[in-house]
Amino acid sequence: MRDKVSHRRLGMEKKMKKFTRCLILMFALLLVACGGAEPTAVPEPEATDAPTEVPTEAAVETEPEPTDEPEPTDVMADDETTNIAIVMPSATTDLAWSQAIYDALVTVQDEMGGIELVYSDGMFNVADAAAALRDYAADGADIVMAHGTQFGSSLFEIAPDFPETAFVYGTSRDTGSEEGLENIFAYDAQADEGGFVNGVIAGQLTESGVIGVVGPVEAGDAKLYIDGFVNGVAAVNPDAQVLVAYTGSFGDTALAAETANTHIAAGAD
């Protein structure tokens, strides 16, 4: 039994090591996109039948010293194909939450190779998302991603049935370790930083001294953002009143508008 557990743990570590490589490249790509810079395409060397030239003495002197660092390409050439399935709450063309992760994964797939990617988008309904997550695990996906805090409880129920599968969700920091789960991993965004900046702006602009903020589900990066917003207001305008409300939904925009109007009626400007 101990040998089986050790083998399972090694297999899981191998999957997550590969997934970590994917995440590093994904976040690097997102940073480039945020900076607005287009990556420079490096042309492939043209094939030639010409004999290899012997470098001159000057060329030898200017060559960089060899290092033990691995080449940046073909980082998964020595590993088997990794099957990644991802479930997203909105469309892959939403120009926001789901598209960011989807485009990053596709680019990772193109750049790194060795990845088979399948996905389900438009999964606002948590029950439907849970069914899709279970189906992907049952179909043998190595890594099953749930791109939304609202899917965490579903993963906690599904993961024990598929101990050989690595489950990943965001944004959160709860991996179920207190429940004895070892195959759930989590990622989060430092949304409190952006919330703080917006809170500072609101705190400086308000004339009524009443500020309203509307959040979706009180969890994950959504809560981080709201908390950062409140702290930002307090940093520049400690006398201002911040009205906080959560709709309990990531997709009910009508309820969000209704909640905003409630803030306005209470004096928020």
Side-chain angles (χ1 to χ4, degrees):
M1 178 63 70
R2 181 176 300 175
D3 290 342
K4 181 181 292 185
V5 172
S6 298
H7 179 73
R8 178 184 301 168
R9 189 184 302 276
L10 287 173
M12 195 67 59
E13 289 176 352
K14 180 180 179 182
K15 291 177 184 177
M16 291 315 301
K17 180 179 180 182
K18 186 180 294 184
F19 183 71
T20 300
R21 298 175 188 169
C22 295
L23 284 180
I24 291 172
L25 183 54
M26 284 164 55
F27 292 137
L29 291 166
L30 288 172
L31 286 173
V32 170
C34 292
E38 291 292 335
T40 303
V42 180
E44 293 290 333
E46 296 182 359
T48 177
D49 296 329
T52 303
E53 295 183 1
V54 178
T56 63
E57 182 177 352
V60 172
E61 292 177 352
T62 58
E63 283 188 352
E65 296 182 1
T67 66
D68 295 330
E69 296 182 1
E71 293 294 327
T73 57
D74 299 327
V75 294
M76 290 197 284
D78 57 343
D79 294 333
E80 60 187 18
T81 298
T82 299
N83 297 296
I84 300 178
I86 180 169
V87 172
M88 297 161 284
S90 50
T92 58
T93 55
D94 67 357
L95 299 178
W97 178 250
S98 294
Q99 184 170 346
I101 192 76
Y102 174 75
D103 286 353
L105 280 171
V106 170
T107 305
V108 168
Q109 183 183 37
D110 294 339
E111 293 288 335
M112 300 181 70
I115 295 174
E116 292 292 337
L117 178 64
V118 293
Y119 70 93
S120 295
D121 62 350
M123 290 286 172
F124 282 110
N125 187 296
V126 173
D128 292 341
L133 292 167
R134 181 174 289 276
D135 287 344
Y136 283 135
D139 288 342
D142 298 306
I143 299 171
V144 177
M145 296 182 64
H147 192 47
T149 308
Q150 66 270 41
F151 305 139
S153 59
S154 299
L155 287 190
F156 283 20
E157 296 177 1
I158 298 170
D161 296 335
F162 302 93
E164 303 297 330
T165 302
F167 293 91
V168 188
Y169 81 114
T171 58
S172 180
R173 298 177 185 178
D174 184 4
T175 61
S177 57
E178 294 183 359
E179 290 81 359
L181 299 174
E182 297 183 351
N183 59 332
I184 291 182
F185 305 84
Y187 56 93
D188 68 356
Q190 301 305 305
D192 53 324
E193 297 179 359
F196 186 90
V197 172
N198 284 342
V200 167
I201 295 172
Q204 292 177 329
L205 290 178
T206 184
E207 295 179 357
S208 67
V210 180
I211 301 169
V213 60
V214 180
V217 176
E218 190 176 0
D221 66 298
K223 186 178 186 306
L224 281 176
Y225 175 88
I226 299 296
D227 292 347
F229 184 93
V230 172
N231 291 333
V233 173
V236 296
N237 193 345
D239 294 329
Q241 179 186 7
V242 182
L243 307 176
V244 177
Y246 290 90
T247 64
S249 170
F250 284 98
D252 195 338
T253 54
L255 180 56
E258 180 182 339
T259 306
N261 283 325
T262 300
H263 286 334
I264 294 171
D269 62 350

